[in-house]
Amino acid sequence: MNVTDLLVKQTQDAHIWTNKLIDSIPIENWDETPDTLASNISWQVGHLVISEYYHAILVVTGFDEEITQKIDLKAHNHLYGYESVPKELVGKSEPKLLRQQLHFMQHKVIQNVSALTLKALESAVEQPIKQKHPVATTKLDAVSWNIKHTMWHCGQIASIKRLIHGGFDFGLPKRT
């Protein structure tokens, strides 16, 4: 297995786990915001849309016109970016639309990562915006960080689910 194949597989795995958790939470519960986490599923999904774009597309291959035509990324960044406040968004999100946008973005990320060569992965990240990437200096760093960041939010989604809708069994056998 080469580096690109490994990154694609790890990205797909992160998407599968995240989607399993998201899909297990009824849409009517997406805005519930436990005080202990001060976050909700609507914000988490919106945040993953914008962060997957930034970490695995924008700084890796630059602006993607197809994405910018389908998703208002400036609005997304304002609503779901690092400095946004999930509680302030309650009732302002459209969960079905967010879910569609996340599936679309995940598809685009897999497409993008699949096309990368080792030479491209070893090259410096793109700087299409003024903000420097917080972790990555190479495209390999950026894609690797995207996987870790997605799994970090997968853990947050699992914690929110436990608090608002019961835990997720991950297919594990019940203890006797």
Side-chain angles (χ1 to χ4, degrees), residues 11 15 52 56-57 105-113 146:
T11 301
H15 290 167
E52 290 243 6
I57 296 176
M105 191 64 71
Q106 289 170 336
H107 171 76
K108 292 295 287 184
V109 165
I110 295 298
Q111 237 181 4
N112 206 48
V113 174
N146 185 60

Side-chain angles (χ1 to χ4, degrees), residues 3-161:
V3 175
T4 299
D5 292 341
L6 179 62
L7 291 170
V8 168
K9 173 75 170 103
Q10 289 179 340
T11 301
Q12 288 170 329
D13 289 345
H15 290 167
I16 288 166
W17 281 110
T18 303
N19 291 335
K20 279 183 183 181
L21 280 161
I22 291 167
D23 291 343
S24 73
I25 303 165
I27 284 179
E28 59 268 14
N29 298 113
W30 276 32
D31 279 345
E32 289 183 37
T33 309
D35 289 333
T36 53
L37 290 177
S39 187
N40 56 54
I41 302 305
S42 292
W43 186 88
Q44 291 287 325
V45 173
H47 180 74
L48 284 170
V49 170
I50 194 72
S51 66
E52 290 243 6
Y53 177 73
Y54 178 72
H55 296 300
I57 296 176
L58 184 64
V59 300
V60 175
T61 52
F63 288 101
D64 184 307
E65 192 172 323
E66 182 183 3
I67 293 172
T68 59
Q69 288 177 356
K70 289 187 182 234
I71 301 171
D72 183 345
L73 296 170
K74 283 187 179 187
H76 248 62
N77 192 48
H78 175 74
L79 295 169
Y80 308 108
Y82 181 73
E83 295 181 8
S84 62
V85 180
K87 265 190 166 176
E88 293 176 2
L89 301 175
V90 170
K92 296 179 182 174
S93 298
E94 295 179 48
K96 287 182 182 178
L97 178 60
L98 287 173
R99 195 72 187 94
Q100 290 169 353
Q101 290 173 337
L102 181 60
H103 280 299
F104 172 70
M105 191 64 71
Q106 289 170 336
H107 171 76
K108 292 295 287 184
V109 165
I110 295 298
Q111 237 181 4
N112 206 48
V113 174
S114 296
L116 296 171
T117 64
L118 182 57
K119 184 176 181 177
L121 286 165
E122 292 172 341
S123 66
V125 292
E126 303 289 323
Q127 290 295 331
I129 59 174
K130 293 177 186 175
Q131 183 178 349
K132 184 180 174 202
H133 194 284
V135 175
T137 56
T138 67
K139 293 173 183 182
L140 173 60
D141 295 337
V143 174
S144 178
W145 175 251
N146 185 60
I147 296 162
K148 294 168 187 143
H149 181 263
T150 300
M151 288 306 294
W152 172 266
H153 284 281
C154 184
Q156 290 183 7
I157 291 165
S159 296
I160 294 167
K161 177 178 172 33

Side-chain angles (χ1 to χ4, degrees), residues 155-170:
Q156 290 183 7
I157 291 165
S159 296
I160 294 167
K161 177 178 172 33
R162 178 175 291 273
L163 292 167
I164 67 169
H165 196 256
F168 188 78
D169 70 10
F170 293 94

